[in-house]
Amino acid sequence: MTGNENAVPQADHLTVFFASQTGNAESISRNIYEQAQERGFKAFHHPLNDHAKVDWDKEDCLVFVVSTTGDGDPPDNSTKFWRHLRKLKGVGLTKAKYTILGLGDTNYDNFCQTAKRLDTRLQELGASSFYPRGLADDATGLEETVDPWIKNLWPALAHQVISTPAIHDLPQPHFTQEEEKVVKGLIQKQEQERRQSITAATLDSPRLLSTVISTTTGQDPIENTIKDLSNLTLNLPANLPITPAVGYKIDIDLSAMADHSNLTALPRVPNANLQIADLETAVASRVPGSVPTFIQTPTPLLMATINKVQCLTPSDALKRTLAVEFGFEDDVDYAPGDSFGIWAPNNEALVRGVLSALNVSDAAATKAVRLHGQGIPSHLQTVESATLLDIFRYAVDLTSPPKKANIRLYAEHANDLADKQKLMFMASKQGADQFNAFRAQSPTFLDILHTFPSVNVPLARIIETLPPMQPRYYSITSSPMSKSGHRRWSCAFNVVTYDLSGGIHRRGVCTPWLDELAGQVPFGKAVTTGLTTQRLPVFLKPNETRFNLPSDTTKPVIMIGPGTGVAPFMGFLEHRAEQRLIKKRLVNIGTGPRQHLDDHFGDMWLFFGCRHRERDWLFREQMESYKRDGVLTELLLAVSREENVPNSAKYVQDLMRSQGKNLWNLIHKKGAAIYVCGDAKGMAKAVHDELVNILVDHGGYEKMAAIMELNKWAQEKRYLRDLSLRRLFHALCD
């Protein structure tokens, strides 16, 4: 320090932490880390669960990029960190200067909750913020907040971190001078052509190989011991009768390109860190249905078989819904309300199609390789020995729409000027509408290669920049107290397949795969024979928000779950039915008078919604049976596509309005717990608003006081929600 006591304390290094569920936060944090290195910072990069690698007493400058999953939950790779943070006492981080970039979605009430909680906790521990917190909204596009936040981060960091003079130059490594000249020339050329000829001129543009942009930005030399696997052709052997898929050509209206002479806000291409080493050894064959050893799950991996499958909806229903029971050889402890994950592979035809488009031969695809390199994505760091087939099956996601950074990377490696121009435009601020329209068509990676055939990205760059494959999660609909309950899980899900305009067919990753494995059974009774014996990789995901039945069985329970949102409540009801059977046996023992069974159990109310009673009233027989047996006190049905249905309403919130006084009595006088499961964007908001109205109309609250009371109930775990924009068992990404 100098004699100036007002000088800002400075650090000698920078640490970038991330908490990421789907890979977005990790990718953004890596971008910050790499740019920091390019600017001369002494930087480090870690997932939050690796907090022990950092001496927190000596940390001076911290950048956090954190996402929120579910309805305000932290990502899996930060749970250990949060346990550690809760144990810290006092103000032990008074030296630390930090900033936070949060990723979330305003369709959820708990928008960017992880970032907000982290900000509060760091301040409690004595740390201070050196740069305003950023909260990026996926509902409107993360880039709108992320890009300017990162751009303005560097001047703020320059005042915090002592490093080489390069940091004060603040370079902007988006375009080389050569790129700027070529892109401007391309746009100026197209401006000279009239709008009516733009599209045809673009599509008919000749492929140029020697005059395209050539840049080495972000590319590291490959070691001599590593073979280039990207220039080989695919020859499928006879014992693999999989026909490679062919991508769809995505239609893009690029007429607006002529209105822009300059492209701005182009994303930075991440550094090339990944290398592929040919191990010259064979990979041992795996048990069908198992996953490679590089797969990492938050709880131990289990191998399950399909015991039973039932199609719950007839062929004329809007959605095909299945109930599937999985079985295990050993007992597994779980509670109703928990979920489990399935690590499903990418569709095999899609994988083969991608490898074919990348000119990867079958010999190369089935040979053992090792992925290595400094700073490669965390999901690739455990790939010590695997085939390219398994890497493209299980490690990378081939179906998620691309990010702008990917589009920019593909533009860099396009050998055709027209392809390069279109991709550059979509990656820019000026092409935001076209980029969003492109993403709206849910292009797979194969579709991108088919739409832009001159793109020739090195294989290692593709693997490194594709998003990580994610497990698919499903709510458990069974109880461990039922017969063989600890050796079986049940779930319900919609099979996701759909068509877009132009004859484009889309399918999810997991649900169609499960449907095919189960034999695509018809609507009707459950099937228990003739099912596949293939073992499936699954793992338990305990509910971190305590979305479980109250331990006090006398507490009333209000369950609100239209469609497949009812799935966890079927587990609740099965569990309560078993509890009642046990209590019934116990109260019959001894000489004293028998107590009334219902005295031991609180009311259970279920609000369920569907389109048509005969087409998509899921679990109807079970619900009506629970009602007859007294397990379910009230079964209230909303039917949205039928008129004049007795004792029903259109939506679950309409049912709640009609039962407002009764609900208030259950909540206020008997301390009922409220559970909501389903879509966060529409249903959950409407249900929340109706609960506010009930507190106002029947509890005498002012509206703001009612909202605050609901927030209090949520903190007390009296009001619990299991929400998703894309429910885990019927999402478009499933």
Side-chain angles (χ1 to χ4, degrees), residues 452-491:
F452 304 101
S454 75
V455 170
N456 185 23
V457 186
L459 189 63
R461 299 291 281 133
I462 289 171
I463 294 173
E464 185 174 21
T465 55
L466 283 172
M469 191 64 157
Q470 297 291 319
R472 268 55 178 180
Y473 291 102
Y474 302 84
S475 294
I476 297 176
T477 63
S478 53
S479 165
M481 294 181 66
S482 61
K483 184 179 180 180
S484 302
H486 283 285
R487 296 194 176 189
R488 66 178 181 91
W489 289 336
S490 298
C491 69

Side-chain angles (χ1 to χ4, degrees), residues 134 157 248 366 506 530 593 634 717:
L157 276 172
Y248 295 101
T366 56
R506 297 292 183 218
E634 293 291 343
K717 305 302 180 184

Side-chain angles (χ1 to χ4, degrees), residues 473-583:
Y473 291 102
Y474 302 84
S475 294
I476 297 176
T477 63
S478 53
S479 165
M481 294 181 66
S482 61
K483 184 179 180 180
S484 302
H486 283 285
R487 296 194 176 189
R488 66 178 181 91
W489 289 336
S490 298
C491 69
F493 55 83
N494 293 329
V495 179
V496 179
T497 60
Y498 56 102
D499 294 306
L500 301 175
S501 60
I504 297 177
H505 179 70
R506 297 292 183 218
R507 55 175 282 156
V509 173
C510 190
T511 55
W513 177 66
L514 290 175
D515 192 15
E516 291 163 4
L517 284 177
Q520 297 181 320
V521 300
F523 170 64
K525 294 183 178 180
V527 175
T528 58
T529 60
L531 299 173
T532 178
T533 59
Q534 180 170 324
R535 304 173 74 210
L536 310 179
V538 302
F539 60 93
L540 180 67
K541 184 175 175 59
N543 198 300
E544 299 288 344
T545 60
R546 287 166 47 189
F547 193 91
N548 308 107
L549 277 173
S551 57
D552 180 0
T553 62
T554 64
K555 184 184 291 292
V557 172
I558 299 168
M559 301 168 287
I560 306 163
T564 48
V566 78
F569 302 140
M570 300 310 297
F572 284 14
L573 291 168
E574 184 176 292
H575 199 70
R576 179 56 53 86
E578 294 297 326
Q579 289 176 326
R580 288 171 65 92
L581 285 174
I582 293 172
K583 180 62 72 173

Side-chain angles (χ1 to χ4, degrees), residues 64 82 108 116 163 209 264-265 334 388 425 471 516 567 674 687:
F64 296 91
W82 280 105
Y108 294 89
K116 295 174 183 177
S163 188
L209 299 178
T264 60
Y334 68 96
L388 289 175
F425 182 68
E516 291 163 4
I674 307 165
V687 166

Side-chain angles (χ1 to χ4, degrees), residues 52 128 206 217 224 281 294 327 332 359 361 422-423 445 454 459 491 542 600 625-626 632 686 692 711 730:
S128 58
T217 301
N224 294 332
T281 60
F294 60 75
V332 180
N359 297 319
S361 72
K422 290 184 284 186
L423 288 162
F445 179 59
S454 75
L459 189 63
C491 69
H600 298 279
S625 176
Y626 288 133
L632 195 53
V692 171
N711 291 338
H730 71 275

